[in-house]
Amino acid sequence: MAVGVQSIFINLPVKDLTKSIEFFKALGFDFDEQFKDDKGASLIITESIYVMLLTEEFFSSFTHQKITDTSMENEVITALQVESKDAVDELVNKAIENGAKDKTTKLSEEEEAMMYYRRFKDLDGHLWEVMYMDMSAMGA
């Protein structure tokens, strides 16, 4: 059953909004200038998927809870599917060149047959997974 969701907005707290914007621009992402100010910026993933990078103070005003210490814990893995193994490497290598930490882990043999992925933690410690899935290997 489809629920009728039109867009997804993922909200992530960031320590330094300017540095976060520069980081994601260096990876090739764009921002929606209509939703960008000194408290947050709308990172465009696709036409209907956005990541709202929000200053920690602004983010906290929505939750009234403590922000996860990403050096000790993961709050979420944001996974992006791309069109090829080369695209995985290109995006993750750019992230690492711009200050991200490589967090790739080993897949099982079964997983490796159908999926290629790498992970990185961005400047604020948020975990991103970039993957390519070989759909023809899914039935094997």
Side-chain angles (χ1 to χ4, degrees), residues 7-100:
S7 298
I8 296 174
F9 292 85
I10 300 165
N11 296 285
L12 293 177
V14 298
K15 293 181 186 340
D16 186 320
L17 183 59
T18 302
K19 284 184 180 177
S20 291
I21 291 169
E22 290 170 0
F23 173 79
F24 285 102
K25 280 186 175 180
L27 302 188
F29 289 102
D30 291 321
F31 286 83
D32 185 339
E33 295 298 321
Q34 187 176 4
F35 299 102
K36 186 173 161 196
D37 59 23
D38 62 337
K39 295 185 280 187
S42 178
L43 168 65
I44 301 167
I45 303 294
T46 70
E47 291 180 2
S48 60
I49 302 172
Y50 307 87
V51 175
M52 300 301 297
L53 303 176
L54 306 174
T55 63
E56 288 184 339
E57 181 180 356
F58 190 50
F59 181 91
S60 293
S61 72
F62 291 103
T63 66
H64 307 290
Q65 294 180 322
K66 191 172 113 179
I67 293 173
T68 300
D69 178 354
T70 55
S71 69
M72 308 278 290
E73 305 160 321
N74 290 313
E75 79 281 46
V76 68
I77 300 171
T78 304
L80 306 175
Q81 184 176 354
V82 295
E83 68 277 357
S84 67
K85 290 179 180 182
D86 288 341
V88 170
D89 289 335
E90 182 179 342
L91 186 57
V92 174
N93 289 342
K94 279 184 189 175
I96 293 166
E97 289 167 12
N98 284 281

